[in-house]
Amino acid sequence: MKENINIRRLADVIAAKASADGRTVTPEEVAEFLKVLFDTVGDTLLRGDSVEVDGLGAFIVDYSSQYGIELLVDRGFAQTVNEPFDSFEATELDDEITNDLLDTCNDRPKPEPVADPVESIVQDAPVVDVEEPESPEAEVELLESVAIEEMAPASMLDENEELASEPMEAPAPAEEPEHEHEHEPQAQPQPEHEPVEEPAPVEEPEPQPEPESNPDPELKLEPESEPEPQLVPYHEPSKPEESKFGNGFILGLLTGLAIGAVGLLIYILFQPMPGADEEIEAEEVNTEAISDPAGGFAD
Amino acid sequence: MDNKQLIETVAKAMGQDEKTVRAMLDATVEEIAARCSDCDSVAVPNFGRFESVKHDEHVETDPMTGARTLEPPCIRVTFRPSVVLCKKLTR
């Protein structure tokens, strides 16, 4: 496919095809034939004439074309080339088939290959905290046991344990980022979003019965269920933070209201009464009149 | 020059009979078609190259009637002359 073939490499095939009816054609004769054939066609084209070859088409000289020489392909040659698509036919589309529908058909994703059983087991496993040093070891043990079970018969388990452990160590670090991606969205929103913390206690009882229901020693889910209690410390400190924040806010609000009330009371008590100045001036005039009773008569 | 004249000319130049030349010519055309059907290109030194281009299925719309037709995939063979032949032609 998409290979550039020199026609002289095809001399053997052409010689075999041309040898029939008691006639034997050697590859050397074919090579000479090809040279003479295309030299003749080229010379004819250079004279301005066209050359017609049965089964192939007609070479014509057209100076208005891109290269000056064109090949008008024979219908039989085109049919031979398109033999792989003979089962297809041009179909007129109905109005119900819209361009959007065709685009969706073209954009339809291809079916994904069957997931690796090891990866599916790891993805189905309960959430495990990455920071815990025991979890990677438990994962490696789990992957080893499952992979060995599925890929090797039981009789070969003992022999392949050592061999299987070595290649399985390599994918283990590659799987850790997957867990990180899985845990990061859960671990980060816990301190920020309060409602997310509520379903956390619901998750706790689920993994606990699993080790009890799976008595198989090969499925070591205990180390994976252990990290979940570690999620509790992330929830506990958040609840007191809520109450502290609410109490502080209420306490500050009450304090502000009390200070405001006291200020208002002080303002009301010590505010000068309207018209007090006039009364004071009238009192002063009265006192002056009393102290100098003869003043008006002197004038 | 038609096919018969071509065979006569080649047979005369090679000193072969026309039946043998015709058989070799038919075998050559058949092999070129087989290679182009595999989307390969066949190069002929000092002459040119037969190239095949595969076109996927597509929808064509008639500009006059607006009718849409789903065209099947196809392989189209084109010929690209060599530089030597083009230079000789331009002279």
Side-chain angles (χ1 to χ4, degrees):
Chain A
M1 294 292 179
K2 290 293 179 185
E3 187 180 358
N4 195 3
I5 302 170
N6 193 326
I7 198 168
R8 289 179 181 173
R9 286 172 49 191
L10 307 176
D12 296 336
V13 182
I14 294 172
K17 287 182 177 179
S19 300
D21 299 334
R23 181 178 53 246
T24 302
V25 179
T26 60
E28 290 77 13
E29 290 176 347
V30 172
E32 184 184 0
F33 160 76
L34 293 174
K35 185 177 183 304
V36 174
L37 171 69
F38 290 110
D39 285 346
T40 305
V41 174
D43 293 340
T44 308
L45 292 172
L46 290 176
R47 288 198 301 267
D49 297 335
S50 61
V51 179
E52 186 177 349
V53 181
D54 282 352
L56 179 63
F59 294 94
I60 60 171
V61 178
D62 184 6
Y63 291 101
S64 62
S65 64
Q66 185 178 2
Y67 302 110
I69 298 173
E70 278 193 355
L71 171 65
L72 302 179
V73 177
D74 188 64
R75 186 179 296 273
F77 183 81
Q79 288 179 354
T80 305
V81 169
N82 285 290
E83 271 185 354
F85 308 118
D86 277 348
S87 59
F88 296 94
E89 289 182 356
T91 307
E92 189 171 351
L93 298 177
D94 298 334
D95 294 336
E96 296 175 354
I97 302 174
T98 61
N99 292 331
D100 295 337
L101 184 61
L102 293 173
D103 292 338
T104 54
C105 293
N106 292 331
D107 297 337
R108 183 176 298 169
K110 296 179 179 178
E112 295 180 356
V114 178
D116 190 2
V118 177
E119 293 180 358
S120 63
I121 291 171
V122 172
Q123 291 177 357
D124 294 337
V127 177
V128 179
D129 191 357
V130 181
E131 296 178 357
E132 186 182 8
E134 297 177 359
S135 61
E137 297 175 357
E139 290 175 2
V140 171
E141 293 177 357
L142 176 64
L143 295 175
E144 287 176 0
S145 60
V146 173
I148 291 169
E149 273 186 358
E150 294 181 357
M151 299 179 65
S155 61
M156 298 176 66
L157 288 178
D158 296 334
E159 299 176 356
N160 293 332
E161 277 182 358
E162 295 178 359
L163 296 174
S165 63
E166 295 177 356
M168 290 306 294
E169 290 175 355
E175 292 165 357
E176 289 180 358
E178 296 178 359
H179 289 287
E180 290 177 1
H181 292 298
E182 292 176 1
H183 296 293
E184 284 176 1
Q186 293 180 358
Q188 291 177 355
Q190 284 177 357
E192 297 175 356
H193 301 288
E194 298 170 359
V196 180
E197 298 168 357
E198 295 179 1
V202 180
E203 296 176 358
E204 293 177 0
E206 293 179 355
Q208 289 178 356
E210 287 181 0
E212 297 174 357
S213 61
N214 295 328
D216 296 338
E218 298 170 351
L219 296 176
K220 298 177 181 178
L221 297 177
E222 293 178 357
E224 296 177 353
S225 60
E226 287 177 358
E228 292 186 352
Q230 286 189 354
L231 295 175
V232 176
Y234 290 101
H235 304 299
E236 288 177 352
S238 62
K239 292 178 179 176
E241 286 177 359
E242 282 181 16
S243 57
K244 285 179 181 177
F245 177 74
N247 293 335
F249 179 73
I250 294 171
L251 185 61
L253 185 62
L254 293 175
T255 305
L257 289 173
I259 292 172
V262 171
L264 182 62
L265 182 62
I266 291 171
Y267 176 75
I268 292 171
L269 290 177
F270 295 98
Q271 183 184 14
M273 297 295 290
D277 296 338
E278 296 175 355
E279 291 177 357
I280 292 169
E281 288 177 358
E283 287 177 357
E284 289 176 354
V285 170
N286 290 334
T287 52
E288 287 176 356
I290 293 170
S291 62
D292 191 10
F297 298 102
D299 295 335
Chain B
M1 178 183 288
D2 57 4
N3 191 64
K4 186 178 179 182
Q5 293 174 342
L6 177 65
I7 291 173
E8 289 175 357
T9 305
V10 173
K12 186 177 180 181
M14 289 183 63
Q16 292 269 1
D17 59 319
E18 294 183 5
K19 287 186 179 180
T20 303
V21 172
R22 183 183 296 275
M24 287 192 287
L25 180 60
D26 292 342
T28 303
V29 172
E30 185 179 350
E31 189 61 23
I32 291 173
R35 296 296 178 175
C36 289
S37 181
D38 292 338
C39 292
D40 293 333
S41 59
V42 179
V44 181
N46 297 327
F47 182 71
R49 189 169 64 227
F50 296 93
E51 296 177 336
S52 58
V53 180
K54 181 180 179 295
H55 297 269
D56 292 332
E57 58 183 359
H58 58 281
V59 177
E60 285 188 355
T61 305
D62 190 350
M64 300 297 291
T65 62
R68 295 176 306 147
T69 307
L70 181 62
E71 296 291 336
C74 65
I75 296 173
R76 291 174 185 167
V77 179
T78 58
F79 173 70
R80 176 177 292 188
S82 67
V83 178
V84 177
L85 189 61
C86 288
K87 284 184 178 179
K88 289 180 181 177
L89 189 66
T90 54
R91 289 173 188 172

